[in-house]
Amino acid sequence: MISKLNLRCLLNSYRSFTFVKATSATASRPGSHLCRTINRCSATDQRSMATLTEVVSTLKKMAPLSLAESWDNVGLLVEPEVRKPVGRVFLTNDLTEDVLEEAVSVDTDLIISYHPPVFAPFKRITSDAWKSRIVSRCLSRGIAIYSPHTSWDAVENGLTDWLISCFDGTVSTIQPLNINPEFSHVVTLSASLSDNTPLSGIEIKAIVESSDFQADKHFKVVHYNNSQLQVLCNSSSLLTLNKVAKSSKCNLFFYANKNESLPSSNMGAGRYCQFRNELTINAAIEKIKCHLGVDNLMIALARGSTLESTIDSAAAVAGSGASVLRGVDAGLYLTGEMSHHDVLDAVHNKVTVVLANHSNTERNYLNVFAGRLLEEMPQLNVHVSKVDRDPLMFV
């Protein structure tokens, strides 16, 4: 009988290529198996396809781009002039020229590259630079490129939650994200006629609404009753509202409060896990290897620790995590890469550091996301790259 841990290792060592949503007819055939069905190709022309706009809208719903870091370049990065239906979607961690060859070979319509292949501004698109060659070829073949990057890191149940899920325990966000509200102010309005008869919230809305102050465009109604109307709007709309109040034949009054951004407890950078039961460092390492599907890791033991020392917690950041992990009180740090001096600081602060190489902390999440995308858009044929790999290897 195979254990759960060994089964996870076995599944993670297999890089599936094509995901197709199973049908009830397939599942009911004698001898059929879910894994076999998931990895069977089906002809795209037998499936209804989606528009690029529909797929991009779904991707934004699954991981809003507002969650991405301010420095990041996320979203639809390459949009071909010729619009065509999207039937095949190709997932990769890094869009290299070898990966693009693979994507072209399966006739993909959209590449979702976790890392943005377009980051620094281009001054020219020519054949003398590999990134511009990728953009040029995608445009010529009508292939769109979308990158989610740090929006996947921050979103609830996203990449970072997947990364920390190799441990069993209570998970919390290391750096909660401040969610900026859509509107900057909360405004409460009241009004009355010349004889001081109060107007209802609905009546007030009819008075203030105009071509320059429209519901669901310039403001959003959040509450109304028999005497008040409460709306959300931006500071630019307050000037319009003030003009309306002054010109109104009714006695119209309003006051505005700043709509402050609030930290989200389940979205943001990094995850911390308080274990249900203590683990030896060696046991934690084996869990990480199986989860990431790798054979080797780089380990820096906390000062005074051995592989048999026990820990009760871990903190994880995908990719390069030193800036987020620095100072976090955990028994183990899991990330892709850290500088020499950041590792020294950690081990002298009694933290064991586990480094897997940058993209190895991210890549296996593509299989998870492929399944979720099919749940949202079952008409798609979703491929996960077999060529994509971390450029560094252990020898």
Side-chain angles (χ1 to χ4, degrees):
M1 181 175 179
I2 190 166
S3 69
K4 282 186 177 180
L5 183 60
N6 288 333
L7 178 61
R8 178 178 285 181
C9 289
L10 181 63
L11 291 174
N12 282 337
S13 66
Y14 175 69
R15 295 294 306 282
S16 55
F17 181 63
T18 302
F19 289 79
V20 177
K21 193 171 180 67
T23 63
S24 57
T26 304
S28 63
R29 283 201 298 267
S32 66
H33 189 274
L34 179 60
C35 291
R36 189 182 305 129
T37 304
I38 285 176
N39 291 285
R40 180 181 292 118
C41 289
S42 72
T44 303
D45 56 8
Q46 295 177 355
R47 304 156 67 86
S48 61
M49 293 187 284
T51 66
L52 178 60
T53 300
E54 289 171 339
V55 179
V56 168
S57 177
T58 297
L59 293 173
K60 290 179 178 178
K61 182 181 73 171
M62 296 174 74
L65 299 183
S66 59
L67 301 180
E69 297 287 347
S70 59
W71 48 261
D72 208 355
N73 190 34
V74 293
L76 185 62
L77 304 184
V78 173
E79 182 179 10
E81 181 181 8
V82 177
R83 299 293 183 90
K84 64 177 183 178
V86 175
R88 289 185 174 90
V89 176
F90 187 90
L91 301 181
T92 183
N93 203 75
D94 292 292
L95 182 52
T96 63
E97 290 190 280
D98 290 336
V99 170
L100 180 57
E101 289 290 343
E102 182 188 15
V104 169
S105 72
V106 297
D107 196 25
T108 191
D109 304 305
L110 169 64
I111 295 173
I112 300 175
S113 176
Y114 168 71
H115 287 134
V118 179
F119 197 84
F122 286 162
K123 291 187 176 180
R124 59 184 61 86
I125 298 179
T126 59
S127 61
D128 60 350
W130 70 275
K131 286 191 175 182
S132 62
R133 287 196 297 270
I134 285 175
V135 172
S136 178
R137 190 171 185 194
C138 284
L139 287 171
S140 67
R141 299 189 69 93
I143 300 173
I145 301 175
Y146 183 95
S147 176
H149 203 202
T150 53
S151 66
W152 275 11
D153 298 349
V155 73
E156 183 181 9
N157 203 27
L159 192 157
T160 314
D161 281 309
W162 166 82
L163 180 60
I164 199 70
S165 68
C166 57
F167 301 115
D168 181 27
T170 303
V171 175
S172 57
T173 302
I174 295 175
Q175 288 185 356
L177 190 69
N178 281 336
I179 305 299
N180 292 320
E182 182 182 359
F183 296 100
S184 62
H185 287 81
V186 182
V187 181
T188 303
L189 302 100
S190 60
S192 63
L193 298 176
S194 58
D195 61 358
N196 292 326
T197 303
L199 298 179
S200 68
I202 293 295
E203 291 171 321
I204 297 170
K205 177 176 177 291
I207 292 172
V208 301
E209 193 164 21
S210 65
S211 59
D212 295 326
F213 195 65
Q214 299 175 18
D216 299 323
K217 183 177 181 181
H218 301 103
F219 71 93
K220 180 179 180 181
V221 175
V222 292
H223 176 71
Y224 62 87
N225 56 29
N226 291 332
S227 61
Q228 286 186 333
L229 171 70
Q230 191 173 67
V231 302
L232 298 173
C233 71
N234 289 318
S235 55
S236 58
S237 295
L238 291 177
L239 297 174
T240 303
L241 190 56
N242 191 46
K243 291 178 182 178
V244 172
K246 288 182 177 180
S247 62
S248 175
K249 295 180 181 180
C250 300
N251 300 315
L252 180 63
F253 304 95
F254 72 89
Y255 60 90
N257 291 318
K258 189 74 173 176
N259 192 19
E260 300 290 346
S261 61
L262 297 174
S264 167
S265 61
N266 52 9
M267 288 187 286
R271 297 294 185 269
Y272 172 87
C273 181
Q274 182 67 47
F275 300 163
R276 297 190 194 284
N277 299 295
E278 289 188 343
L279 291 172
T280 65
I281 294 174
N282 192 53
I285 290 169
E286 291 306 311
K287 285 179 177 288
I288 294 168
K289 284 182 178 179
C290 289
H291 191 56
L292 301 184
V294 298
D295 297 322
N296 304 98
L297 296 166
M298 289 180 284
I299 312 298
L301 287 170
R303 188 165 182 260
S305 294
T306 70
L307 288 175
E308 295 308 312
S309 299
T310 58
I311 54 175
D312 64 0
S313 59
V317 176
S320 182
S323 63
V324 176
L325 293 172
R326 193 176 294 122
V328 175
D329 184 14
L332 180 147
Y333 289 169
L334 168 59
T335 190
E337 57 184 343
M338 288 173 63
S339 75
H340 172 78
H341 297 288
D342 284 321
V343 172
L344 286 179
D345 285 343
V347 298
H348 280 80
N349 286 322
K350 307 295 185 182
V351 181
T352 291
V353 177
V354 178
L355 304 179
N357 280 343
H358 189 110
S359 64
N360 287 339
T361 57
E362 304 157 342
R363 185 165 289 103
N364 264 11
Y365 177 70
L366 296 176
N367 292 318
V368 176
F369 186 82
R372 292 176 181 172
L373 181 56
L374 277 174
E375 289 295 322
E376 296 288 334
M377 305 193 77
Q379 70 270 37
L380 296 178
N381 194 321
V382 182
H383 301 255
V384 176
S385 175
K386 293 194 295 184
V387 173
D388 174 47
R389 57 177 53 85
D390 197 280
L392 295 173
M393 65 177 66
F394 296 92
V395 294

